[in-house]
Amino acid sequence: PGLRTLAITLVANSIRDWGCARLGEVLGGLTHLSFLDLLLGGNAISPDGCVVLGSGLSALHGLKHLRLHLEDSYVRDQGAMALASGLEVMRDLRLLELQLGDNRIGRQGVEALAVAIRGAVHLEELEVHLANNEVLDAGCVALAHACTALKSLKR
């Protein structure tokens, strides 16, 4: 059947969009994954890299556990929206941890993430770290509404 658990830690390794995109392409082929820890914070990953990464994540329909760390990168709104599109298909997620601090993500990016989170109806554990971004009141409200919609949330 294939690989079910994958943990990759590449924090602060000068990874750019090209490397992130190749990683996203490989992830898209690992359709049997249930658990994925992808720790890529402190790299130079922009929205372009996030587009391919989000596309790869969208192939992981059966994923139950996702830890995605992209803090201190260059994600911005466009990158957050691309990641959200990948998350939207993950209806079976039980645990989601997003570390997206220091990325200049604004209202649009946070609202897209909130929509994706709201769709993960089986989510039991959720952590969203958005320190030092531009979330504003509207983004905060969108996240709060997403959390209240999740009836199975335990943490």
Side-chain angles (χ1 to χ4, degrees):
L3 188 64
R4 298 214 180 266
T5 300
L6 180 61
I8 298 176
T9 301
L10 294 168
V11 175
N13 274 290
S14 301
I15 296 169
R16 299 189 180 280
D17 291 332
W18 187 85
C20 183
R22 299 302 74 78
L23 185 57
E25 290 169 356
V26 170
L27 286 174
L30 301 175
T31 57
H32 290 87
L33 277 181
S34 294
F35 297 88
L36 176 60
D37 288 351
L38 192 54
L39 313 181
L40 300 172
N43 287 295
I45 299 169
S46 78
D48 293 338
C50 292
V51 167
V52 182
L53 183 58
S55 177
L57 290 173
S58 71
L60 306 178
H61 298 279
L63 206 62
K64 296 196 179 349
H65 167 117
L66 175 61
R67 290 178 57 215
L68 179 60
H69 291 206
L70 283 167
E71 70 277 5
D72 194 23
S73 294
Y74 303 101
V75 172
R76 297 187 171 73
D77 278 334
Q78 297 85 356
M81 290 185 284
L83 294 171
S85 70
L87 294 172
E88 283 179 353
V89 301
M90 297 181 186
R91 302 291 184 204
D92 290 333
L93 273 179
R94 302 295 194 267
L95 179 142
L96 176 60
E97 178 183 315
L98 297 174
Q99 292 272 358
L100 297 171
D102 295 304
N103 272 300
R104 297 178 69 194
I105 298 171
R107 179 188 55 81
Q108 288 180 313
V110 173
E111 287 177 349
L113 290 169
V115 169
I117 289 168
R118 188 180 191 132
V121 295
H122 300 293
L123 209 53
E124 296 173 358
E125 297 183 45
L126 173 65
E127 289 187 35
V128 180
H129 300 269
L130 289 163
N132 298 318
N133 281 293
E134 299 161 6
V135 173
L136 305 175
D137 291 338
C140 184
V141 169
L143 280 174
H145 284 300
C147 291
T148 59
L150 298 172
K151 304 302 180 202
S152 58
L153 202 60
K154 296 177 182 173
R155 176 178 158 202

PDB file of all heavy atoms in Angstrom, residues 61-87:
ATOM      1  N   HIS A  61      -5.847  13.010   0.359  1.00  0.00           N
ATOM      2  CA  HIS A  61      -7.230  12.980   0.847  1.00  0.00           C
ATOM      3  C   HIS A  61      -7.389  12.226   2.164  1.00  0.00           C
ATOM      4  O   HIS A  61      -8.244  12.564   2.970  1.00  0.00           O
ATOM      5  CB  HIS A  61      -8.148  12.332  -0.201  1.00  0.00           C
ATOM      6  CG  HIS A  61      -8.189  13.077  -1.489  1.00  0.00           C
ATOM      7  ND1 HIS A  61      -8.979  14.183  -1.678  1.00  0.00           N
ATOM      8  CD2 HIS A  61      -7.512  12.895  -2.649  1.00  0.00           C
ATOM      9  CE1 HIS A  61      -8.800  14.640  -2.900  1.00  0.00           C
ATOM     10  NE2 HIS A  61      -7.915  13.878  -3.512  1.00  0.00           N
ATOM     11  N   GLY A  62      -6.592  11.192   2.388  1.00  0.00           N
ATOM     12  CA  GLY A  62      -6.748  10.359   3.582  1.00  0.00           C
ATOM     13  C   GLY A  62      -5.920  10.797   4.766  1.00  0.00           C
ATOM     14  O   GLY A  62      -5.878  10.108   5.797  1.00  0.00           O
ATOM     15  N   LEU A  63      -5.266  11.952   4.667  1.00  0.00           N
ATOM     16  CA  LEU A  63      -4.410  12.420   5.757  1.00  0.00           C
ATOM     17  C   LEU A  63      -5.230  12.663   7.021  1.00  0.00           C
ATOM     18  O   LEU A  63      -6.291  13.271   6.978  1.00  0.00           O
ATOM     19  CB  LEU A  63      -3.708  13.709   5.319  1.00  0.00           C
ATOM     20  CG  LEU A  63      -2.387  14.029   5.996  1.00  0.00           C
ATOM     21  CD1 LEU A  63      -1.346  12.960   5.704  1.00  0.00           C
ATOM     22  CD2 LEU A  63      -1.879  15.376   5.528  1.00  0.00           C
ATOM     23  N   LYS A  64      -4.710  12.183   8.149  1.00  0.00           N
ATOM     24  CA  LYS A  64      -5.399  12.355   9.421  1.00  0.00           C
ATOM     25  C   LYS A  64      -4.648  13.290  10.368  1.00  0.00           C
ATOM     26  O   LYS A  64      -5.216  13.852  11.284  1.00  0.00           O
ATOM     27  CB  LYS A  64      -5.606  11.002  10.088  1.00  0.00           C
ATOM     28  CG  LYS A  64      -6.508  10.100   9.270  1.00  0.00           C
ATOM     29  CD  LYS A  64      -7.025   8.942  10.045  1.00  0.00           C
ATOM     30  CE  LYS A  64      -7.936   8.026   9.272  1.00  0.00           C
ATOM     31  NZ  LYS A  64      -8.414   8.425   8.003  1.00  0.00           N
ATOM     32  N   HIS A  65      -3.352  13.450  10.149  1.00  0.00           N
ATOM     33  CA  HIS A  65      -2.501  14.236  11.031  1.00  0.00           C
ATOM     34  C   HIS A  65      -1.583  15.089  10.161  1.00  0.00           C
ATOM     35  O   HIS A  65      -0.830  14.542   9.347  1.00  0.00           O
ATOM     36  CB  HIS A  65      -1.678  13.259  11.896  1.00  0.00           C
ATOM     37  CG  HIS A  65      -0.538  13.875  12.640  1.00  0.00           C
ATOM     38  ND1 HIS A  65      -0.481  13.892  14.004  1.00  0.00           N
ATOM     39  CD2 HIS A  65       0.592  14.466  12.206  1.00  0.00           C
ATOM     40  CE1 HIS A  65       0.654  14.468  14.383  1.00  0.00           C
ATOM     41  NE2 HIS A  65       1.321  14.822  13.310  1.00  0.00           N
ATOM     42  N   LEU A  66      -1.656  16.408  10.307  1.00  0.00           N
ATOM     43  CA  LEU A  66      -0.783  17.300   9.548  1.00  0.00           C
ATOM     44  C   LEU A  66      -0.212  18.364  10.472  1.00  0.00           C
ATOM     45  O   LEU A  66      -0.952  19.102  11.116  1.00  0.00           O
ATOM     46  CB  LEU A  66      -1.542  17.980   8.401  1.00  0.00           C
ATOM     47  CG  LEU A  66      -0.744  19.026   7.604  1.00  0.00           C
ATOM     48  CD1 LEU A  66       0.474  18.412   6.925  1.00  0.00           C
ATOM     49  CD2 LEU A  66      -1.643  19.729   6.590  1.00  0.00           C
ATOM     50  N   ARG A  67       1.096  18.409  10.521  1.00  0.00           N
ATOM     51  CA  ARG A  67       1.828  19.504  11.160  1.00  0.00           C
ATOM     52  C   ARG A  67       2.610  20.192  10.055  1.00  0.00           C
ATOM     53  O   ARG A  67       3.496  19.588   9.455  1.00  0.00           O
ATOM     54  CB  ARG A  67       2.781  18.985  12.239  1.00  0.00           C
ATOM     55  CG  ARG A  67       2.081  18.455  13.457  1.00  0.00           C
ATOM     56  CD  ARG A  67       3.063  17.893  14.492  1.00  0.00           C
ATOM     57  NE  ARG A  67       4.031  18.898  14.872  1.00  0.00           N
ATOM     58  CZ  ARG A  67       5.313  18.609  15.161  1.00  0.00           C
ATOM     59  NH1 ARG A  67       5.765  17.386  15.094  1.00  0.00           N
ATOM     60  NH2 ARG A  67       6.148  19.569  15.511  1.00  0.00           N
ATOM     61  N   LEU A  68       2.260  21.425   9.753  1.00  0.00           N
ATOM     62  CA  LEU A  68       2.907  22.191   8.691  1.00  0.00           C
ATOM     63  C   LEU A  68       3.489  23.463   9.291  1.00  0.00           C
ATOM     64  O   LEU A  68       2.754  24.332   9.764  1.00  0.00           O
ATOM     65  CB  LEU A  68       1.891  22.533   7.592  1.00  0.00           C
ATOM     66  CG  LEU A  68       2.408  23.353   6.421  1.00  0.00           C
ATOM     67  CD1 LEU A  68       3.541  22.630   5.696  1.00  0.00           C
ATOM     68  CD2 LEU A  68       1.276  23.684   5.462  1.00  0.00           C
ATOM     69  N   HIS A  69       4.812  23.552   9.279  1.00  0.00           N
ATOM     70  CA  HIS A  69       5.502  24.715   9.825  1.00  0.00           C
ATOM     71  C   HIS A  69       6.176  25.464   8.682  1.00  0.00           C
ATOM     72  O   HIS A  69       7.056  24.935   8.018  1.00  0.00           O
ATOM     73  CB  HIS A  69       6.565  24.284  10.834  1.00  0.00           C
ATOM     74  CG  HIS A  69       6.017  23.726  12.094  1.00  0.00           C
ATOM     75  ND1 HIS A  69       6.703  23.767  13.281  1.00  0.00           N
ATOM     76  CD2 HIS A  69       4.846  23.117  12.370  1.00  0.00           C
ATOM     77  CE1 HIS A  69       5.980  23.196  14.232  1.00  0.00           C
ATOM     78  NE2 HIS A  69       4.853  22.789  13.697  1.00  0.00           N
ATOM     79  N   LEU A  70       5.741  26.678   8.472  1.00  0.00           N
ATOM     80  CA  LEU A  70       6.348  27.570   7.479  1.00  0.00           C
ATOM     81  C   LEU A  70       6.593  28.952   8.077  1.00  0.00           C
ATOM     82  O   LEU A  70       6.579  29.956   7.374  1.00  0.00           O
ATOM     83  CB  LEU A  70       5.432  27.695   6.255  1.00  0.00           C
ATOM     84  CG  LEU A  70       5.440  26.526   5.287  1.00  0.00           C
ATOM     85  CD1 LEU A  70       4.281  26.613   4.305  1.00  0.00           C
ATOM     86  CD2 LEU A  70       6.759  26.455   4.541  1.00  0.00           C
ATOM     87  N   GLU A  71       6.791  28.993   9.391  1.00  0.00           N
ATOM     88  CA  GLU A  71       6.996  30.282  10.033  1.00  0.00           C
ATOM     89  C   GLU A  71       8.279  30.943   9.540  1.00  0.00           C
ATOM     90  O   GLU A  71       9.195  30.275   9.080  1.00  0.00           O
ATOM     91  CB  GLU A  71       7.015  30.130  11.567  1.00  0.00           C
ATOM     92  CG  GLU A  71       8.218  29.412  12.138  1.00  0.00           C
ATOM     93  CD  GLU A  71       8.113  27.900  12.117  1.00  0.00           C
ATOM     94  OE1 GLU A  71       7.155  27.328  11.578  1.00  0.00           O
ATOM     95  OE2 GLU A  71       9.038  27.276  12.645  1.00  0.00           O
ATOM     96  N   ASP A  72       8.288  32.265   9.614  1.00  0.00           N
ATOM     97  CA  ASP A  72       9.449  33.059   9.240  1.00  0.00           C
ATOM     98  C   ASP A  72       9.895  32.775   7.798  1.00  0.00           C
ATOM     99  O   ASP A  72      11.060  32.513   7.520  1.00  0.00           O
ATOM    100  CB  ASP A  72      10.600  32.813  10.227  1.00  0.00           C
ATOM    101  CG  ASP A  72      11.700  33.863  10.097  1.00  0.00           C
ATOM    102  OD1 ASP A  72      11.413  34.972   9.610  1.00  0.00           O
ATOM    103  OD2 ASP A  72      12.842  33.548  10.457  1.00  0.00           O
ATOM    104  N   SER A  73       8.942  32.790   6.887  1.00  0.00           N
ATOM    105  CA  SER A  73       9.206  32.612   5.460  1.00  0.00           C
ATOM    106  C   SER A  73       8.600  33.812   4.733  1.00  0.00           C
ATOM    107  O   SER A  73       8.527  34.886   5.299  1.00  0.00           O
ATOM    108  CB  SER A  73       8.607  31.285   4.976  1.00  0.00           C
ATOM    109  OG  SER A  73       9.273  30.190   5.590  1.00  0.00           O
ATOM    110  N   TYR A  74       8.134  33.630   3.517  1.00  0.00           N
ATOM    111  CA  TYR A  74       7.556  34.725   2.731  1.00  0.00           C
ATOM    112  C   TYR A  74       6.192  34.324   2.175  1.00  0.00           C
ATOM    113  O   TYR A  74       5.870  34.610   1.027  1.00  0.00           O
ATOM    114  CB  TYR A  74       8.496  35.104   1.580  1.00  0.00           C
ATOM    115  CG  TYR A  74       9.883  35.483   2.043  1.00  0.00           C
ATOM    116  CD1 TYR A  74      10.934  34.585   1.955  1.00  0.00           C
ATOM    117  CD2 TYR A  74      10.123  36.733   2.594  1.00  0.00           C
ATOM    118  CE1 TYR A  74      12.204  34.920   2.395  1.00  0.00           C
ATOM    119  CE2 TYR A  74      11.394  37.077   3.038  1.00  0.00           C
ATOM    120  CZ  TYR A  74      12.426  36.170   2.938  1.00  0.00           C
ATOM    121  OH  TYR A  74      13.675  36.508   3.383  1.00  0.00           O
ATOM    122  N   VAL A  75       5.380  33.675   2.978  1.00  0.00           N
ATOM    123  CA  VAL A  75       4.128  33.062   2.519  1.00  0.00           C
ATOM    124  C   VAL A  75       3.126  34.090   1.995  1.00  0.00           C
ATOM    125  O   VAL A  75       2.550  33.910   0.934  1.00  0.00           O
ATOM    126  CB  VAL A  75       3.511  32.200   3.647  1.00  0.00           C
ATOM    127  CG1 VAL A  75       2.129  31.708   3.266  1.00  0.00           C
ATOM    128  CG2 VAL A  75       4.436  31.026   3.969  1.00  0.00           C
ATOM    129  N   ARG A  76       2.871  35.137   2.746  1.00  0.00           N
ATOM    130  CA  ARG A  76       1.919  36.193   2.402  1.00  0.00           C
ATOM    131  C   ARG A  76       0.511  35.647   2.128  1.00  0.00           C
ATOM    132  O   ARG A  76       0.237  34.471   2.299  1.00  0.00           O
ATOM    133  CB  ARG A  76       2.441  37.017   1.235  1.00  0.00           C
ATOM    134  CG  ARG A  76       3.730  37.752   1.578  1.00  0.00           C
ATOM    135  CD  ARG A  76       4.162  38.708   0.494  1.00  0.00           C
ATOM    136  NE  ARG A  76       5.256  39.551   0.898  1.00  0.00           N
ATOM    137  CZ  ARG A  76       6.527  39.138   1.046  1.00  0.00           C
ATOM    138  NH1 ARG A  76       6.847  37.888   0.844  1.00  0.00           N
ATOM    139  NH2 ARG A  76       7.457  39.985   1.407  1.00  0.00           N
ATOM    140  N   ASP A  77      -0.418  36.510   1.747  1.00  0.00           N
ATOM    141  CA  ASP A  77      -1.806  36.103   1.495  1.00  0.00           C
ATOM    142  C   ASP A  77      -1.916  35.053   0.393  1.00  0.00           C
ATOM    143  O   ASP A  77      -2.621  34.060   0.536  1.00  0.00           O
ATOM    144  CB  ASP A  77      -2.665  37.315   1.089  1.00  0.00           C
ATOM    145  CG  ASP A  77      -3.158  38.117   2.270  1.00  0.00           C
ATOM    146  OD1 ASP A  77      -3.291  37.551   3.366  1.00  0.00           O
ATOM    147  OD2 ASP A  77      -3.408  39.317   2.091  1.00  0.00           O
ATOM    148  N   GLN A  78      -1.205  35.286  -0.701  1.00  0.00           N
ATOM    149  CA  GLN A  78      -1.318  34.370  -1.833  1.00  0.00           C
ATOM    150  C   GLN A  78      -0.852  32.964  -1.458  1.00  0.00           C
ATOM    151  O   GLN A  78      -1.455  31.969  -1.870  1.00  0.00           O
ATOM    152  CB  GLN A  78      -0.500  34.888  -3.038  1.00  0.00           C
ATOM    153  CG  GLN A  78      -0.992  36.201  -3.582  1.00  0.00           C
ATOM    154  CD  GLN A  78      -0.395  37.408  -2.815  1.00  0.00           C
ATOM    155  OE1 GLN A  78       0.326  37.277  -1.829  1.00  0.00           O
ATOM    156  NE2 GLN A  78      -0.747  38.603  -3.278  1.00  0.00           N
ATOM    157  N   GLY A  79       0.208  32.868  -0.702  1.00  0.00           N
ATOM    158  CA  GLY A  79       0.697  31.563  -0.265  1.00  0.00           C
ATOM    159  C   GLY A  79      -0.256  30.892   0.700  1.00  0.00           C
ATOM    160  O   GLY A  79      -0.494  29.678   0.623  1.00  0.00           O
ATOM    161  N   ALA A  80      -0.834  31.671   1.614  1.00  0.00           N
ATOM    162  CA  ALA A  80      -1.803  31.115   2.564  1.00  0.00           C
ATOM    163  C   ALA A  80      -3.042  30.607   1.829  1.00  0.00           C
ATOM    164  O   ALA A  80      -3.590  29.549   2.168  1.00  0.00           O
ATOM    165  CB  ALA A  80      -2.192  32.166   3.603  1.00  0.00           C
ATOM    166  N   MET A  81      -3.478  31.338   0.797  1.00  0.00           N
ATOM    167  CA  MET A  81      -4.636  30.893   0.013  1.00  0.00           C
ATOM    168  C   MET A  81      -4.314  29.606  -0.747  1.00  0.00           C
ATOM    169  O   MET A  81      -5.158  28.712  -0.852  1.00  0.00           O
ATOM    170  CB  MET A  81      -5.097  32.004  -0.930  1.00  0.00           C
ATOM    171  CG  MET A  81      -5.736  33.167  -0.182  1.00  0.00           C
ATOM    172  SD  MET A  81      -6.443  34.454  -1.238  1.00  0.00           S
ATOM    173  CE  MET A  81      -4.992  35.299  -1.789  1.00  0.00           C
ATOM    174  N   ALA A  82      -3.093  29.491  -1.261  1.00  0.00           N
ATOM    175  CA  ALA A  82      -2.685  28.267  -1.962  1.00  0.00           C
ATOM    176  C   ALA A  82      -2.646  27.082  -0.995  1.00  0.00           C
ATOM    177  O   ALA A  82      -3.102  25.983  -1.333  1.00  0.00           O
ATOM    178  CB  ALA A  82      -1.321  28.464  -2.617  1.00  0.00           C
ATOM    179  N   LEU A  83      -2.117  27.296   0.185  1.00  0.00           N
ATOM    180  CA  LEU A  83      -2.096  26.222   1.187  1.00  0.00           C
ATOM    181  C   LEU A  83      -3.516  25.848   1.603  1.00  0.00           C
ATOM    182  O   LEU A  83      -3.831  24.670   1.780  1.00  0.00           O
ATOM    183  CB  LEU A  83      -1.279  26.656   2.401  1.00  0.00           C
ATOM    184  CG  LEU A  83       0.214  26.865   2.155  1.00  0.00           C
ATOM    185  CD1 LEU A  83       0.868  27.492   3.373  1.00  0.00           C
ATOM    186  CD2 LEU A  83       0.888  25.559   1.768  1.00  0.00           C
ATOM    187  N   ALA A  84      -4.370  26.842   1.745  1.00  0.00           N
ATOM    188  CA  ALA A  84      -5.763  26.583   2.114  1.00  0.00           C
ATOM    189  C   ALA A  84      -6.464  25.718   1.075  1.00  0.00           C
ATOM    190  O   ALA A  84      -7.234  24.819   1.422  1.00  0.00           O
ATOM    191  CB  ALA A  84      -6.520  27.903   2.305  1.00  0.00           C
ATOM    192  N   SER A  85      -6.158  25.950  -0.196  1.00  0.00           N
ATOM    193  CA  SER A  85      -6.790  25.126  -1.235  1.00  0.00           C
ATOM    194  C   SER A  85      -6.357  23.671  -1.111  1.00  0.00           C
ATOM    195  O   SER A  85      -7.137  22.761  -1.388  1.00  0.00           O
ATOM    196  CB  SER A  85      -6.494  25.677  -2.631  1.00  0.00           C
ATOM    197  OG  SER A  85      -5.138  25.484  -2.968  1.00  0.00           O
ATOM    198  N   GLY A  86      -5.133  23.439  -0.677  1.00  0.00           N
ATOM    199  CA  GLY A  86      -4.685  22.074  -0.431  1.00  0.00           C
ATOM    200  C   GLY A  86      -5.349  21.459   0.785  1.00  0.00           C
ATOM    201  O   GLY A  86      -5.681  20.275   0.803  1.00  0.00           O
ATOM    202  N   LEU A  87      -5.567  22.274   1.799  1.00  0.00           N
ATOM    203  CA  LEU A  87      -6.192  21.782   3.033  1.00  0.00           C
ATOM    204  C   LEU A  87      -7.681  21.484   2.855  1.00  0.00           C
ATOM    205  O   LEU A  87      -8.231  20.635   3.563  1.00  0.00           O
ATOM    206  CB  LEU A  87      -6.026  22.809   4.157  1.00  0.00           C
ATOM    207  CG  LEU A  87      -4.606  23.064   4.646  1.00  0.00           C
ATOM    208  CD1 LEU A  87      -4.590  24.242   5.610  1.00  0.00           C
ATOM    209  CD2 LEU A  87      -4.041  21.820   5.308  1.00  0.00           C
TER     210      LEU A  87
END
